[in-house]
Amino acid sequence: MKPSSVKYDFEPKIIAFVCTWCTYAGADLAGTSRMQYPSNVRVLKFPCTGRIDPVFILKAFQQGADGVLVSGCHPGDCHYIAGNFHARRRFAAFRKLLEFIGVDLNRLQFSWVSAAEGGKWVEVVTDLTERVREMGPMVEFKELALEEQWSGAINTPELKETYNAI
Amino acid sequence: MNSQLIDTSIYADISRFIRDESLRILLEGEVIAVVGYAAGRRKGSVQPIIACDTESAGRLMFSQASVNNLAVYLTKAKKEIPKSGKIGIVLKGCDLKALVGLIGESQLKREDLYLIGVPCSGVLASTVHPATELATETIAPKCLECDAHLPTGCDFVPDVALPPQQKSDLKYAVEIARLEALTPAERWAYWKEQFSKCIKCYACRQVCPFCFCEQCLCDRNKPQMVETTPRPAGNTAWHIVRAMHLAGRCAGCAECERVCPMDIPLNLLNRKMAKELKELFDYEPGFEVNDKGPLASFTDKDDQSFIK
Amino acid sequence: MRKYISRQNLNTLIDKLIAEGRRIVAPRMTAGTPLYEPLGHSGEMIIDQLPRRSAKEAFFPLCEEIMSYEKSGQQVKLTDVDPSRFPETILFAVRPCDAAAIPVLDAVFSWDYKDEFFLERRRKTTVVGLACTTADDACFCTAVGLSPSDTKGSDLFLSPLEGGGYNVESFTEKGEALINSCSDLFAEESNAAYIQLANPQTEAFDLKKVKSWLDEHFEDQLWDGIATRCVGCGACAFVCPACHCFDIVDEGTEKAGKRRKNWDACGFWKFTHHASGHNPRDLQPKRYRNRIMHKFKYYDDKFGQTLCTGCGRCVRICPVGIDIAAIVEEINQK
């Protein structure tokens, strides 16, 4: 495969939280096998999916991620025996909460990718990147970050102009 | 729907029973203190008291304004309450569920407690004056969905006949269904408006029996996971974190929603999570002590349809 | 200067000022809760409910940016917020208990350090008070030396009349300027009877006596008795018109961020938590004691004023029913 030469108007930022034992090794395999996948993904390595706190996902969105991927060992393969089983329940609950708050779950992907599944890693990352690209930027959290309480707000047009010029 | 009065005639008898029993256990030295309710200055108002002597035990009572979940005083976060001996505590059914949860999380030992259960027809909503009569319009919404009017497994329960409970609209269920039917963008707009009112007074955290952490994640600044500033970004993060930390633990006492000075419907988040955990893992808080909640345990058959 | 304005003309006045680009802050409903917020038009104003939070945030916001930083390469760029850019504001329909707190706050914000953020907003804000017709059993303004018709802190004061409209009295140049800017909307003072005002059922405290008791009783059983039940939230301080503690935080990333000033409350355990880990107010009764001491002793020591206007907000919202009026009454009886 050759790297795509197509230029897009919008390149999404994807944050991937992965476990070091399976998915990180799988992504490594994809790299050493010279497989191509979108460079939109930024990989963060954790000891185990059980260590990935839902607040990390929240923080990623707040810091400007357009999509988030969480990936680890297949059930039964966890290096710490049960970390991914705990993570599975936790994320099943967390995604319901995010959905209820109004986050589009198409921006959040969970997957099991083993150390041998370089191909699956490429597929998961490519799918998520293309899906998020179609959806456009995640503006909700970014807009929120720009808002102040009314009492701290500078809310006349003249002031806004001056303020933006600073 | 027309408002119908709810029979609270048993509360006078319950008050007498609570006083008599508390005096007995204090005088006989069975407990060092009884955590209960006493009347306040304003007409009908009630406040928690920690009765260590017969004078204060004589002020104990129960009424439709006995809204507080007193289990919060037994947690390690509340260092002001003596922990050097057995403690008596007055509990409604919903409060008992929270206490049972704390026992399950190894925060309390059953043998250190003397539980006085209250047969409860319901308490007032936070929006009405404490002297209001209890009716289907003035009752706390949680009481309409209550399945725990009569606590079980207590050391003492006043011997009164609980009047039949009236059924009414289930406000939380209806509101959750309404929100679920909206688009993500509409739900986001709804919560954005609600959360923007938040002033970060942390009353929701401080009254929650399950928020007993020595240092809350949201009070930490190295690293700072949640912005402490009371503006929309930090508020939204705080309420998501709060709801997630209570998922599978919340016993449904709805204290967070009652105390919110800005009227944010916080219990909607808790009820939504309870509903999902019921569907996903068949878990519901009750009067039985569970060593592990739904998010602290697993099976190898758990749903993973959302995982690629 | 004494004048009359009809309710309709009051609305016209507000709409006219909004059209002129002035910021009008008044009680309005926000997601079901009455708050002092900027109005879009006069129809949004509600006057029959006490806003849940006080009017202090018109001068002392819940949170405000005071500086921002940005790093590019080896350069760090700091940008101060310039208070002279704050907008001219008119606060409408402010309850006497809220208005009376403003001059009290002036003392602390213009003391050894001049807080330009507060003072500039103060200079640019005209306060239009409104006599209070709604009180409940949590109100105790009469106990701390104020009343439902107290004009302290108001530049202009509206007294509602039987048959509608208000008699308007101005006390400052700012108040007169507001009348003169739209003098055609005002008429001569009316002789109509005043509407029956609120009547809080509280006896006046002997504040000197309360203070002298507090002078002597830093350690007392009373504190344990009343405040063991305190759960340590900041709700009372945040709804209070006179509480003014704040915390300064830097938030952002290593590349860019903001320094903000946020409300803080002495009820929080973190309020006096030292970097060493020591906390001089280690238990809740000590924190609650500070609330009473600050309001009825320390502020009096320093500025000769009481830091409580009897609005009753903390009494209404306290999660565990702590009633400051009952506590001060108890001290008063000692």
Side-chain angles (χ1 to χ4, degrees), chain B residues 41-42 47-49 68 73 80 129 197 199-201 203 206 219 224 227-229 231 258-259 261-263, chain C residues 30-31 33 52-53 63 137 229 231-235 238 251 260 262 268-270 284-285 319-321 323:
Chain B
R41 169 186 68 105
R42 299 167 71 201
Q47 55 184 206
I49 62 164
N68 300 68
Y73 288 111
E80 298 75 20
H129 189 279
K197 289 192 295 184
I199 52 176
K200 289 267 180 85
C201 69
Q206 296 304 111
D219 276 344
Q224 186 184 57
E227 197 182 273
T228 56
T229 304
R231 60 188 201 110
R258 173 183 74 81
V259 303
M262 293 297 126
D263 306 331
Chain C
T30 304
T33 308
R52 201 66 60 82
R53 302 201 300 251
C63 64
D137 55 0
R229 68 174 69 91
V231 289
C233 71
F238 287 4
E251 289 180 324
R260 293 198 183 86
N262 300 333
F268 293 141
W269 72 273
K270 234 177 112 177
Q284 208 57 41
V320 294
D323 185 335

Side-chain angles (χ1 to χ4, degrees), chain C residues 49-321:
Chain C
Q49 287 186 61
L50 181 71
R52 201 66 60 82
R53 302 201 300 251
S54 79
K56 73 177 173 190
E57 56 192 301
F59 313 99
F60 173 47
L62 177 52
C63 64
E64 70 177 323
E65 181 187 335
I66 51 179
M67 190 195 84
S68 62
Y69 65 88
E70 208 174 327
K71 194 178 161 200
S72 54
Q74 295 301 308
Q75 300 285 310
V76 178
K77 193 175 138 206
L78 301 179
T79 314
D80 277 330
V81 168
D82 180 3
S84 70
R85 302 290 181 193
F86 293 154
E88 295 273 346
T89 299
I90 300 161
L91 256 171
F92 265 99
V94 180
R95 297 292 170 116
C97 49
D98 282 339
I102 301 167
V104 177
L105 290 177
D106 284 344
V108 68
F109 282 111
S110 58
W111 177 47
D112 59 344
Y113 178 78
K114 304 270 179 279
D115 188 316
E116 274 308 309
F117 289 84
F118 180 91
L119 295 174
E120 183 66 12
R121 284 198 172 91
R122 187 80 172 89
R123 278 190 281 274
K124 287 186 172 159
T125 303
T126 308
V127 179
V128 183
L130 172 68
C132 177
T133 51
T134 54
D136 65 11
D137 55 0
C139 290
F140 60 102
C141 58
T142 45
V144 291
L146 296 168
S147 79
S149 57
D150 205 293
T151 56
K152 182 179 174 186
S154 295
D155 296 306
L156 212 61
F157 195 78
L158 306 175
S159 302
L161 301 170
E162 293 285 358
Y166 305 88
N167 267 349
V168 186
E169 193 175 354
S170 80
F171 298 93
T172 63
E173 282 175 17
K174 271 195 254 181
E176 273 176 35
L178 182 60
I179 294 179
N180 291 336
S181 70
C182 304
S183 53
D184 53 324
L185 294 173
F186 293 86
E188 284 313 306
E189 186 183 11
S190 162
N191 291 323
Y194 289 104
I195 281 186
Q196 175 79 45
L197 293 183
N199 184 20
Q201 300 292 315
T202 41
E203 297 283 317
F205 301 141
D206 182 348
L207 293 170
K208 285 223 159 46
K209 189 179 158 198
V210 169
K211 184 184 170 309
S212 63
W213 188 88
L214 292 172
D215 284 339
E216 303 297 323
H217 294 84
F218 187 74
E219 301 288 351
D220 193 88
Q221 279 191 335
L222 176 90
W223 307 120
D224 285 338
I226 54 172
T228 305
R229 68 174 69 91
C230 176
V231 289
C233 71
C236 50
F238 287 4
V239 296
C240 177
C243 275
H244 54 263
C245 287
F246 59 83
D247 183 28
I248 290 179
V249 294
D250 288 340
E251 289 180 324
T253 62
E254 74 280 8
K255 290 218 181 73
K258 286 178 176 173
R259 174 166 294 177
R260 293 198 183 86
K261 184 168 128 188
N262 300 333
W263 287 356
D264 205 348
C266 54
F268 293 141
W269 72 273
K270 234 177 112 177
F271 189 76
T272 48
H273 190 240
H274 295 181
S276 67
H278 174 65
N279 195 340
R281 294 185 201 145
D282 53 347
L283 294 174
Q284 208 57 41
K286 296 185 185 174
R287 295 172 206 144
Y288 194 79
R289 171 181 65 199
N290 184 71
R291 180 169 168 76
I292 301 285
M293 285 282 184
H294 195 183
K295 291 200 174 299
F296 296 96
K297 170 176 156 52
Y298 303 148
Y299 208 78
D300 197 337
D301 282 342
K302 201 141 236 156
F303 304 113
Q305 303 191 65
T306 301
L307 203 56
C308 174
T309 61
C311 68
R313 284 190 179 89
C314 58
V315 180
R316 281 178 216 103
I317 59 94
C318 179
V320 294

Side-chain angles (χ1 to χ4, degrees), chain B residues 153-183:
Chain B
C154 295
D155 297 293
F156 175 80
V157 176
D159 184 18
V160 293
L162 194 64
Q165 301 304 319
Q166 290 172 359
K167 283 284 159 228
S168 183
D169 288 345
L170 303 179
K171 286 187 186 164
Y172 292 120
V174 169
E175 184 65 358
I176 288 173
R178 182 184 76 80
L179 287 171
E180 283 172 345
L182 300 176
T183 65

